[in-house]
Amino acid sequence: MQTPFSPASPAQASADEQRRDILSACRSFFSASQNNAAFVPGETYIPTSTKVLDADDLVNLVDASLDMWLTAGRFARDFERLLPRQLGKHGQALLVNSGSSANLLAVSSLGAQMLGGLGIKPITRGDEVITVAAGFPTTVSPIIQNGWVPVFVDVDASTLNTTLDLIKAARTNKTRAVVLAHTLGNPYRADLVSKWCEQEGLYLVEDCCDALGARIGDRAAGSFGHFATLSFYPAHHITMGEGGAVVPRNAKWKRVAESLRDWGRDCWCEPGQDNTCGKRYEWQLGQLPCGYDHKYTYSNIGYNLKATDMQAALGLSQLNKLERFVAARCSNWKKLYEGVRSSPILSEHIEPVIATDGTTPSWFGFPLYCSQAIDREKLVAFLEQRRIGTRLVFGGDLTKQPAYQNVEFRVVGELKSTDRVMRKGLWIAVHPALDDTKIAYMLDQLEQGVRAQLQG
């Protein structure tokens, strides 16, 4: 057997050398393959979101593929260990195949059958979960898919987030949890919501899919709930192509979510490992015969939501650049905000969304409202014709969406701000691929679009 101090075999040494050569060639290829065409205003499209990749990303991706370990492996273990530190947490994250799967996993964990055995009361069919109508479907759909009743509350129009007072007003004896996203990287006061949830015996899930790097006071968004969820789709702060993660509050919640992610099994062995518990053939669970293989014992109704090591390798490289990406997004948001405020016509007819008091956003986009004098659809068409990407604020009012017309839900309040989001809101880019020339063009065209409507 080879020891740590013995030389590698000739075959292994040759393979290691070939790997180094391949990875060196990847760096050269990346540099040679980049399209460095100059930005042409009105011709070069400015997307609302885009991935920002470098040679390190390609090297990690190819390095993982050379292992031919196609499920989660060494890169996934490192990513799951390092990611919680971004939220000021210890322990281990759970890598999944998308941010939507992360939401499904975190929310479903609140009703897992395993919770009873861990001394935690699960949410059951017909219980209520408070959320907002002005959001993204995959924050809300897992509530419905679990047989629970979403209770929709309004948002504060100035921040796109709800408030603790609005949440409190929706509380009934059926309320069991609060599930909310930090909208477009602008955090809600999860510190206040979390404290109230603890007092009321409620669960909290923080959807941070658009908000990696945001802060509430001196703590990271995602550090307050029983679970935080993240997305690594190419549009997001860091990417692994498709991918996401769940960051649990502690080991007990990790145990539950990991089971649901991995088919609902009771076993917690890593891929390729056996008998981590030391008694694989000694368990007595359910009505199975004593000694039934623990790797094939299921304590939850679960899924298979795992990701690959190639995805994790890309995410691990991207994680090293997160601080720079967040700084660029915030700088770009500030330039757009100051540009709108310094323009007499824009300051009158365009209202940017602002940061929630007591928070430091990690902006995903530059959200804004059109005044009553401006037709949003005409402004969107004007910007898109001039090659500036736009997006509406997700689903607008989800209670108006066709998917929810035959779904049981409850609404508290009139959703006036949600209606404004639906009718007058949109957002444009702040991603790190922007530069001052592009931002100046965006502001100029935004002003021209507004002016064109006012002049009729």
Side-chain angles (χ1 to χ4, degrees), residues 34 67-68 99 112 141 193 210 212 219 235 245 263 267 342 350 376-377 439:
Q34 294 307 290
D67 290 347
M68 294 298 287
S141 293
V193 176
D210 294 343
L212 181 57
R219 287 176 58 179
W263 308 285
C267 173
S342 65
I350 296 297
R376 182 191 60 188
E377 278 61 44
I439 291 172

Side-chain angles (χ1 to χ4, degrees), residues 311-322:
Q311 291 170 277
L314 178 54
L316 196 61
S317 176
Q318 287 268 298
L319 197 60
N320 292 327
K321 297 177 273 284
L322 176 61

Side-chain angles (χ1 to χ4, degrees), residues 95-121:
L95 183 61
V96 295
N97 55 14
S98 74
S100 298
S101 290
N103 283 340
L104 175 63
L105 180 58
V107 173
S108 297
S109 294
L110 304 179
Q113 295 177 197
M114 182 183 284
L115 288 176
L118 298 175
I120 302 172
K121 185 178 179 182

Side-chain angles (χ1 to χ4, degrees), residues 92-355:
Q92 184 178 341
L94 294 169
L95 183 61
V96 295
N97 55 14
S98 74
S100 298
S101 290
N103 283 340
L104 175 63
L105 180 58
V107 173
S108 297
S109 294
L110 304 179
Q113 295 177 197
M114 182 183 284
L115 288 176
L118 298 175
I120 302 172
K121 185 178 179 182
I123 303 179
T124 57
R125 181 169 292 274
D127 285 342
E128 295 183 344
V129 178
I130 298 171
T131 188
V132 296
F136 196 74
T138 58
T139 306
V140 177
S141 293
I143 300 169
I144 299 164
Q145 290 160 344
N146 277 281
W148 311 330
V149 179
V151 177
F152 292 110
V153 298
D154 206 1
V155 296
D156 172 4
S158 66
T159 66
L160 294 176
N161 288 310
T162 195
T163 65
L164 181 57
D165 286 341
L166 291 170
I167 294 170
K168 285 182 175 180
R171 171 82 159 101
T172 71
N173 59 7
K174 291 185 177 182
T175 305
R176 297 300 312 283
V178 177
V179 177
L180 299 170
H182 297 288
T183 308
L184 284 168
N186 188 23
Y188 61 88
R189 289 298 300 269
D191 54 340
L192 304 179
V193 176
S194 174
K195 183 178 180 180
W196 178 75
C197 284
E198 293 289 344
Q199 293 169 351
E200 297 292 315
L202 305 177
Y203 303 126
L204 174 63
V205 174
E206 292 181 75
D207 180 342
C208 303
C209 289
D210 294 343
L212 181 57
R215 302 193 69 80
I216 302 164
D218 60 355
R219 287 176 58 179
S223 66
F224 298 93
H226 292 79
F227 291 106
T229 62
L230 293 160
S231 173
F232 308 124
Y233 190 70
H236 290 264
H237 289 64
I238 63 172
T239 186
M240 51 178 68
E242 298 284 357
V246 171
V247 184
R249 169 175 286 185
N250 54 38
K252 184 180 287 188
W253 285 105
K254 174 182 177 289
R255 170 91 167 94
V256 176
E258 187 173 33
S259 171
L260 264 71
R261 182 195 66 174
D262 299 357
W263 308 285
R265 66 179 187 167
D266 199 81
C267 173
W268 57 88
C269 289
E270 294 284 347
Q273 296 183 0
D274 293 317
N275 205 24
T276 304
C277 64
K279 54 176 187 176
R280 177 177 174 182
Y281 299 105
E282 299 174 28
W283 290 87
Q284 168 61 68
L285 295 171
Q287 298 181 34
L288 293 170
C290 183
Y292 198 84
D293 190 347
H294 194 225
K295 284 180 72 73
Y296 292 92
T297 301
Y298 304 93
S299 293
N300 288 300
I301 307 300
Y303 312 93
N304 177 9
L305 303 177
K306 298 188 297 300
T308 68
D309 220 38
M310 286 79 79
Q311 291 170 277
L314 178 54
L316 196 61
S317 176
Q318 287 268 298
L319 197 60
N320 292 327
K321 297 177 273 284
L322 176 61
E323 185 175 348
R324 172 162 55 88
F325 287 168
V326 172
R329 286 175 173 274
C330 293
S331 175
N332 293 338
W333 182 92
K334 184 178 180 182
K335 291 171 184 175
L336 288 167
Y337 181 85
E338 291 175 346
V340 169
R341 286 305 187 201
S342 65
S343 163
I345 190 169
L346 289 181
S347 61
E348 182 178 355
H349 293 284
I350 296 297
E351 179 186 341
V353 169
I354 60 174

